[in-house]
Amino acid sequence: MHSVQGCRLSLADTSAKWLNTTSTAWISFGKQGNISCNATQGASDVLSIDKVDFLKLQNGRLFCFTVIFVVLLLLGLKNAITHGITAAGHDVLQFGLASTPAMFNSTLTEDAINHCPADGGIMITASHLPYNRNGFKFFTSDGGLNKTDIKDILERASKVYEESAHCGKQEQTGVVTHVDYMSIYASDLVQAVRKSAGNKEKPLEGLHIVVDAGNGAGGFFVDKVLKPLGAVTDGSQFLEPDGLFPNHIPNPEDKAAMEAITQAVLNNKADLGIIFDTDVDRSAAVDSSGRELNRNRLIALMSAIVLEEHPGTTVVTDSVTSDGLTAFIEKKLGGKHHRFKRGYKNVIDEAIRLNSTGEESHLAMETSGHGALKENHWLDDGAYTMVKLLNKLAGARTLNPNIGSKVLTDLVEGLEEAAVTVEIRLKIDQNHADLKGGSFRDYGESILKHLESVISKDPNLNKAPKNHEGVRVSGYGGWFMLRLSLHDPVLPLNIEAQSKNDAMKLGLAVLAAASEFSALDTTALNKFLQQ
């Protein structure tokens, strides 16, 4: 991290109601680093702030601010951060309600009238977590913060706090400017779709598209993107921000969320449905028949679009994508599938690394709905992902005005999908005597190593030749993968098979190997096998 003199920072927030009840409000300052805060501490914690060990607030790339700033309680997050930045002599651009991708884009946008690009940004958000889990996301034009950056910030914060005890009150010297940045960001999305349709003003005219924002920050997509393009948006739902999420969790992986957007499409006889997560860095879609375009299907769809534009390119995904997706990308589309670790930042960074070595990659996408494109600065932008789908629709409609979402569904024709797909979380009891005082991570690694040994002796099972995370095994017409969670004492087990009987055979193989480890709770796996 470098010190910055006289910089301009963009700040996005929302109304007091939004801040007090939800999860998304902001300030510009980083790209893909995630910083989360658990705001459940009591007042006594705040009063003892002089005893805080700042480095203990770090958790990987995350750190909690609950007990740091008493001023947060007095002024609110937005005003507190604004005060701190302007007191240090820097200008602040307040954006109001915004999305994660928009905050990053504010560091790239060339717009002198609106004081962009910003030098950096900070977003206050809890994403789809409960409203009391608000924290900060940092943005710069160079990328997000890593563990080293966070440690550096905490060390500096500790030093600044100690020094501030001996200083007088700082005068505000920075200037605060209110900017409607979401309109600027949305306008760029609109122009991208128009360009794909030969600069037609309303390329989506007559197309019925419904949006489910899940009471997150994605409601802007209706009025600022779809309507200017001519789309009919009747039936769009949950567009108003409400961090209590009264209708469903805004998460494209959530069953209730996908059922909600599917029903909206069918009820309104819409051509397409779009759903966003809270801060719009993830998304999914539903076609006119109610078929979900998420997880492996969405990756397949985006791969088809990107490989048309960049033949032979490598598509990087997380570790739990299906064998059917690999076959689809490589055999049907002529691309290359590079399966990597879970975690959208891992997937994106791997795509960037491959390009640096000379292996062309234009798409990095995780099954959760995080998708990033080389053409979009490797930003995981749910709105931009949907714009790529709209581009395809708009281009097709210039040739056939009556075409609907079938043009998208046809792109994933031939994708082999498992009849049974399940994820089972096996918890490690950290207090169990079998750990012998060791860490859950070491214990989990021991389980994985033992599983590999057992698999090597079973003629019905084959370990994947290339695997960057956990143990991935094919057999009985399907596959399973057991890996260690990034942060929690949990071993997630993913199983995909063409029948419940085959899935159970794979599950039994894991159970047999895991039975020797008494600190591993296999209750969930046993329940699946007994169904």
Side-chain angles (χ1 to χ4, degrees), residues 467-479:
N467 193 54
H468 295 279
E469 182 177 40
V471 179
R472 187 181 178 109
V473 175
S474 60
Y476 302 109
W479 61 272

PDB file of all heavy atoms in Angstrom, residues 467-479:
ATOM      1  N   ASN A 467      -6.002 -31.772 -10.342  1.00  0.00           N
ATOM      2  CA  ASN A 467      -6.919 -31.304  -9.303  1.00  0.00           C
ATOM      3  C   ASN A 467      -6.181 -30.340  -8.392  1.00  0.00           C
ATOM      4  O   ASN A 467      -5.127 -30.667  -7.861  1.00  0.00           O
ATOM      5  CB  ASN A 467      -7.442 -32.494  -8.490  1.00  0.00           C
ATOM      6  CG  ASN A 467      -8.606 -32.123  -7.617  1.00  0.00           C
ATOM      7  OD1 ASN A 467      -9.590 -31.593  -8.088  1.00  0.00           O
ATOM      8  ND2 ASN A 467      -8.494 -32.384  -6.341  1.00  0.00           N
ATOM      9  N   HIS A 468      -6.736 -29.151  -8.226  1.00  0.00           N
ATOM     10  CA  HIS A 468      -6.057 -28.107  -7.448  1.00  0.00           C
ATOM     11  C   HIS A 468      -6.593 -27.967  -6.038  1.00  0.00           C
ATOM     12  O   HIS A 468      -6.082 -27.152  -5.266  1.00  0.00           O
ATOM     13  CB  HIS A 468      -6.184 -26.763  -8.173  1.00  0.00           C
ATOM     14  CG  HIS A 468      -5.479 -26.714  -9.489  1.00  0.00           C
ATOM     15  ND1 HIS A 468      -4.121 -26.492  -9.608  1.00  0.00           N
ATOM     16  CD2 HIS A 468      -5.947 -26.893 -10.756  1.00  0.00           C
ATOM     17  CE1 HIS A 468      -3.777 -26.506 -10.879  1.00  0.00           C
ATOM     18  NE2 HIS A 468      -4.863 -26.745 -11.604  1.00  0.00           N
ATOM     19  N   GLU A 469      -7.611 -28.757  -5.695  1.00  0.00           N
ATOM     20  CA  GLU A 469      -8.208 -28.595  -4.376  1.00  0.00           C
ATOM     21  C   GLU A 469      -8.898 -29.886  -3.955  1.00  0.00           C
ATOM     22  O   GLU A 469      -9.651 -30.481  -4.729  1.00  0.00           O
ATOM     23  CB  GLU A 469      -9.235 -27.450  -4.421  1.00  0.00           C
ATOM     24  CG  GLU A 469      -9.896 -27.150  -3.089  1.00  0.00           C
ATOM     25  CD  GLU A 469     -10.833 -25.959  -3.182  1.00  0.00           C
ATOM     26  OE1 GLU A 469     -11.543 -25.828  -4.196  1.00  0.00           O
ATOM     27  OE2 GLU A 469     -10.858 -25.164  -2.228  1.00  0.00           O
ATOM     28  N   GLY A 470      -8.634 -30.323  -2.722  1.00  0.00           N
ATOM     29  CA  GLY A 470      -9.307 -31.497  -2.189  1.00  0.00           C
ATOM     30  C   GLY A 470      -9.003 -32.759  -2.972  1.00  0.00           C
ATOM     31  O   GLY A 470      -7.975 -32.876  -3.642  1.00  0.00           O
ATOM     32  N   VAL A 471      -9.934 -33.710  -2.902  1.00  0.00           N
ATOM     33  CA  VAL A 471      -9.806 -34.984  -3.608  1.00  0.00           C
ATOM     34  C   VAL A 471     -11.025 -35.139  -4.514  1.00  0.00           C
ATOM     35  O   VAL A 471     -12.156 -35.233  -4.037  1.00  0.00           O
ATOM     36  CB  VAL A 471      -9.729 -36.169  -2.624  1.00  0.00           C
ATOM     37  CG1 VAL A 471      -9.622 -37.484  -3.388  1.00  0.00           C
ATOM     38  CG2 VAL A 471      -8.542 -36.000  -1.677  1.00  0.00           C
ATOM     39  N   ARG A 472     -10.807 -35.147  -5.819  1.00  0.00           N
ATOM     40  CA  ARG A 472     -11.886 -35.319  -6.798  1.00  0.00           C
ATOM     41  C   ARG A 472     -11.743 -36.695  -7.433  1.00  0.00           C
ATOM     42  O   ARG A 472     -10.664 -37.063  -7.903  1.00  0.00           O
ATOM     43  CB  ARG A 472     -11.847 -34.229  -7.861  1.00  0.00           C
ATOM     44  CG  ARG A 472     -13.068 -34.284  -8.804  1.00  0.00           C
ATOM     45  CD  ARG A 472     -12.987 -33.205  -9.870  1.00  0.00           C
ATOM     46  NE  ARG A 472     -14.120 -33.278 -10.784  1.00  0.00           N
ATOM     47  CZ  ARG A 472     -15.121 -32.408 -10.838  1.00  0.00           C
ATOM     48  NH1 ARG A 472     -15.137 -31.387  -9.987  1.00  0.00           N
ATOM     49  NH2 ARG A 472     -16.098 -32.548 -11.701  1.00  0.00           N
ATOM     50  N   VAL A 473     -12.852 -37.446  -7.455  1.00  0.00           N
ATOM     51  CA  VAL A 473     -12.826 -38.843  -7.885  1.00  0.00           C
ATOM     52  C   VAL A 473     -14.003 -39.128  -8.804  1.00  0.00           C
ATOM     53  O   VAL A 473     -15.125 -38.687  -8.541  1.00  0.00           O
ATOM     54  CB  VAL A 473     -12.890 -39.788  -6.657  1.00  0.00           C
ATOM     55  CG1 VAL A 473     -12.989 -41.242  -7.084  1.00  0.00           C
ATOM     56  CG2 VAL A 473     -11.673 -39.568  -5.758  1.00  0.00           C
ATOM     57  N   SER A 474     -13.762 -39.858  -9.888  1.00  0.00           N
ATOM     58  CA  SER A 474     -14.838 -40.280 -10.784  1.00  0.00           C
ATOM     59  C   SER A 474     -15.087 -41.771 -10.609  1.00  0.00           C
ATOM     60  O   SER A 474     -14.186 -42.536 -10.257  1.00  0.00           O
ATOM     61  CB  SER A 474     -14.476 -39.990 -12.242  1.00  0.00           C
ATOM     62  OG  SER A 474     -13.292 -40.682 -12.615  1.00  0.00           O
ATOM     63  N   GLY A 475     -16.333 -42.185 -10.863  1.00  0.00           N
ATOM     64  CA  GLY A 475     -16.699 -43.580 -10.741  1.00  0.00           C
ATOM     65  C   GLY A 475     -18.200 -43.742 -10.738  1.00  0.00           C
ATOM     66  O   GLY A 475     -18.938 -42.791 -10.443  1.00  0.00           O
ATOM     67  N   TYR A 476     -18.670 -44.939 -11.108  1.00  0.00           N
ATOM     68  CA  TYR A 476     -20.114 -45.238 -11.142  1.00  0.00           C
ATOM     69  C   TYR A 476     -20.888 -44.222 -11.989  1.00  0.00           C
ATOM     70  O   TYR A 476     -22.024 -43.854 -11.674  1.00  0.00           O
ATOM     71  CB  TYR A 476     -20.680 -45.273  -9.722  1.00  0.00           C
ATOM     72  CG  TYR A 476     -19.987 -46.283  -8.832  1.00  0.00           C
ATOM     73  CD1 TYR A 476     -19.150 -45.871  -7.793  1.00  0.00           C
ATOM     74  CD2 TYR A 476     -20.167 -47.657  -9.031  1.00  0.00           C
ATOM     75  CE1 TYR A 476     -18.504 -46.806  -6.981  1.00  0.00           C
ATOM     76  CE2 TYR A 476     -19.524 -48.598  -8.224  1.00  0.00           C
ATOM     77  CZ  TYR A 476     -18.698 -48.160  -7.207  1.00  0.00           C
ATOM     78  OH  TYR A 476     -18.060 -49.072  -6.407  1.00  0.00           O
ATOM     79  N   GLY A 477     -20.260 -43.754 -13.045  1.00  0.00           N
ATOM     80  CA  GLY A 477     -20.932 -42.831 -13.946  1.00  0.00           C
ATOM     81  C   GLY A 477     -21.062 -41.416 -13.425  1.00  0.00           C
ATOM     82  O   GLY A 477     -21.745 -40.579 -14.029  1.00  0.00           O
ATOM     83  N   GLY A 478     -20.411 -41.114 -12.305  1.00  0.00           N
ATOM     84  CA  GLY A 478     -20.479 -39.775 -11.727  1.00  0.00           C
ATOM     85  C   GLY A 478     -19.156 -39.380 -11.107  1.00  0.00           C
ATOM     86  O   GLY A 478     -18.099 -39.880 -11.495  1.00  0.00           O
ATOM     87  N   TRP A 479     -19.218 -38.504 -10.127  1.00  0.00           N
ATOM     88  CA  TRP A 479     -17.991 -38.065  -9.453  1.00  0.00           C
ATOM     89  C   TRP A 479     -18.333 -37.513  -8.072  1.00  0.00           C
ATOM     90  O   TRP A 479     -19.471 -37.167  -7.782  1.00  0.00           O
ATOM     91  CB  TRP A 479     -17.262 -36.984 -10.267  1.00  0.00           C
ATOM     92  CG  TRP A 479     -18.054 -35.729 -10.491  1.00  0.00           C
ATOM     93  CD1 TRP A 479     -18.929 -35.478 -11.516  1.00  0.00           C
ATOM     94  CD2 TRP A 479     -18.073 -34.540  -9.667  1.00  0.00           C
ATOM     95  NE1 TRP A 479     -19.481 -34.227 -11.390  1.00  0.00           N
ATOM     96  CE2 TRP A 479     -18.972 -33.624 -10.264  1.00  0.00           C
ATOM     97  CE3 TRP A 479     -17.403 -34.174  -8.495  1.00  0.00           C
ATOM     98  CZ2 TRP A 479     -19.216 -32.365  -9.718  1.00  0.00           C
ATOM     99  CZ3 TRP A 479     -17.655 -32.914  -7.956  1.00  0.00           C
ATOM    100  CH2 TRP A 479     -18.549 -32.031  -8.567  1.00  0.00           C
TER     101      TRP A 479
END
